[in-house]
Amino acid sequence: TDTIGIDFGISIFGKAGAVIMSILIASSTFGSALSSMVTSSEIVVLAAKTGQLPKFFAGISKRFGTAARAYWLQCVLSCVM
């Protein structure tokens, strides 16, 4: 194949290794994306609290206890870029 991870999995565990490595790689990628989103939303909230961004983005959702407005800002900026 064209992927090093799957080739490694096949060489160590056989055909099941390809599935195992695919799952591990996908979960690692998802975890990295999630941690990046959470960390950068905290930066948005902090910037809003210090006046570098509109105070609107400093809001925390009462329902979920998260920085929902900061997440939406990141979503929009990611789609635009």
Side-chain angles (χ1 to χ4, degrees):
T1 66
D2 292 335
T3 58
I4 296 171
I6 292 177
D7 288 340
F8 175 75
I10 290 171
S11 68
I12 300 297
F13 300 111
K15 289 185 179 184
V19 174
I20 292 169
M21 289 303 290
S22 296
I23 291 170
L24 290 174
I25 292 168
S27 62
S28 173
T29 303
F30 178 74
S32 175
L34 183 63
S35 66
S36 174
M37 184 178 78
V38 170
T39 302
S40 50
S41 71
E42 292 298 322
I43 293 170
V44 170
V45 170
L46 183 61
K49 285 182 178 178
T50 60
Q52 297 169 341
L53 287 174
K55 294 281 184 198
F56 174 78
F57 295 112
I60 303 295
S61 169
K62 292 179 183 176
R63 182 175 178 194
F64 299 109
T66 60
R69 294 174 185 164
Y71 290 143
W72 280 112
L73 175 65
Q74 288 181 298
C75 177
V76 169
L77 291 176
S78 295
C79 290
V80 169
M81 291 181 179

